[in-house]
Amino acid sequence: MRESNKPTNYPALYTLIVVFFFWGFIAAGNSIFIPFCKNYFHLDQFQSQLIDFAFYSAYYIGALALFIFGTLSGKDLVGKWGYKKSIVYGLLFSAFGAAAMIVAVEVNIYLGMLIGLFIVALGFSLQQTAANPFAVLLGDPKTGASRVNLGGAVNSFGTTIGPLVIGYALFGTFEPMSDSEISSLPLNKVVYLYIAVGLLFIFAAALFNFSKKVPPGINNEPMEKANKAQNILILMTVLLAILFTPVFLSYKSETALQIEAINTQISAATDSSVIESLKAQVKELAHPLELKRMALLFGALLAVVGSIIFAYRKAQSAPQGWGAMKYPQLVLGMLALFVYVGIEVAIGSNLGELLTLEEFGNLQSSEITPYISMYWGGMMIGRWAGAITAFNFANKTKKILTALVPFIAFIVVLSVNTIAGFNMSHLYFFAICIAIQVVAFFISKEKPVATLVIFGTLGLAAMVVGLLTSGTVAIYAFLTGGLACSIMWGSIFALSIVGIGKYTEQGSAFLVMMILGGGIIPPIQGKLADIIGIHNSYIIPVIGFAYIILFAILVKGFLKKQNIDIEHIEGSSSH
């Protein structure tokens, strides 16, 4: 039988789809975990965002380690192991992370939880490196995009119910609970959750390993050398460590301990004049410390941007050893993906803190779950609609589905939250925002440049509206950020690797590394929130969406100069 007529291996595909579900479930659940940990461990906004730092930096470290091995050995480690074994190893590594998480919860140590999440995400990094090409391998290559998009749709469903399940595991109820009660909660349900998750990882690994129907997926293609690119990425990693470490250590500095002691006095004081005096002392001590932390964090951001731009400039004069980094579309795309993942995660992860403000409803941490679910559900809404393009429907049918599927997905989000016991009536009118998204789909006409400009503008406008207003209008605006981000991954990815020829695999690896944005940008917004307030900190996504629009415009010009047809570029709608 010819390869082009190869039947789909459904048992292997269904098992693989479970892996896609895990990624979304855990990642979106972090948005609930963040405000919970802030109250439980008495953290500031930056410290709570270290959950994202641990989780998404693990993707970067895992991808970088695989790249370094490939550069040194000349072989792709994942291809050498085979996609099947790589996914099995990744699942087992994530199971080990779940075990570490259980231990950390039992001993009640926040740092231990961060380490556990880091290990879980390292496993995800290995799984993700293998899963997308494996999905293509499990059937006719012509329908490979359909299988990847199916995985993306299931991934997005995981992002919708993840906040619900993890919220219940953390709070033990769907009923409102005051933030002061959170610190006295038992964490036994979190232990049960990660026992279940760990067992599911092991079960999925066993299914893969022992199934005779799952092919090994070995790929012995040689890797293109890029020693200079490897060195600049290592240097960037060292710079990030140098800049983040003082920020971490500053929380145990003499000034920080003095602030903590004064805050303890404030808690015990009853005289209002004494309290005001103590608060003034805290402000006087904290302000220069916070500015120093902010400067270091912006330095970390500059280290990423500067390293990538430096690599590109050097590659223009002497391309030998730089590999895919000599292509402007790839370099601009790396920054675009870094920014995109960063703002996608930052909007959702900081949303819980925003909703505690009086003008945003004065919600307790236990009440934010439906909003977080709707934000990540917005990602699902867009990706389900984006997945339609991967199927060979007639044009009329495609248009009808493009108009209907987002609302069907919206109903799914409302339904799962209603079943969980939440009153969702306050989010019914979010359908207006979804209608705007549907119009954006029709205007963009599946063209990646137009898609990024239109959806980037939608995201930019939504963030500006959110900054300038409050209450329901602002909440809807910030939730619209999820709708805007939902289909950007595929367009950025496709525009970044088109025309780079034999460096396509290497360029893809560089792009996956830029998931690092999810670990860097949310803590920066968190620290900015500690200084100027959580509402004003949403200026960060405004800047992010502006760059994505700029990327689309610039890359269009670069690709035209290379005589590349950008009208027929297609990309996956999910990651």
Side-chain angles (χ1 to χ4, degrees), residues 16-147:
L16 183 63
I17 283 172
V18 173
V19 176
F20 277 81
F21 177 84
F22 284 148
W23 303 339
F25 180 90
I26 299 294
N30 287 343
S31 297
I32 296 292
F33 208 46
I34 285 167
F36 172 85
C37 286
K38 180 177 182 180
N39 287 288
Y40 190 87
F41 293 104
H42 307 293
L43 310 171
D44 66 19
Q45 191 63 12
F46 166 77
Q47 289 172 303
S48 71
Q49 295 296 316
L50 293 180
I51 288 172
D52 282 335
F53 175 79
F55 190 79
Y56 290 98
S57 63
Y59 272 91
Y60 168 71
I61 295 296
L64 179 61
L66 289 171
F67 173 69
I68 290 172
F69 178 89
T71 301
L72 294 175
S73 67
K75 291 184 179 179
D76 176 12
L77 184 60
V78 171
K80 181 182 176 182
W81 283 343
Y83 300 136
K84 176 179 177 178
K85 279 189 177 179
S86 296
I87 290 173
V88 170
Y89 295 155
L91 285 164
L92 292 176
F93 211 83
S94 292
F96 177 66
M101 190 74 173
I102 291 165
V103 173
V105 170
E106 288 285 10
V107 297
N108 206 23
I109 297 177
Y110 181 56
L111 177 60
M113 293 183 185
L114 296 179
I115 293 170
L117 278 173
F118 180 85
I119 298 170
V120 169
L122 268 181
F124 285 0
S125 177
L126 181 53
Q127 294 164 39
Q128 187 150 339
T129 302
N132 286 335
F134 198 35
V136 175
L137 185 70
L138 294 176
D140 187 340
K142 292 179 182 177
T143 58
S146 301
R147 291 187 291 280

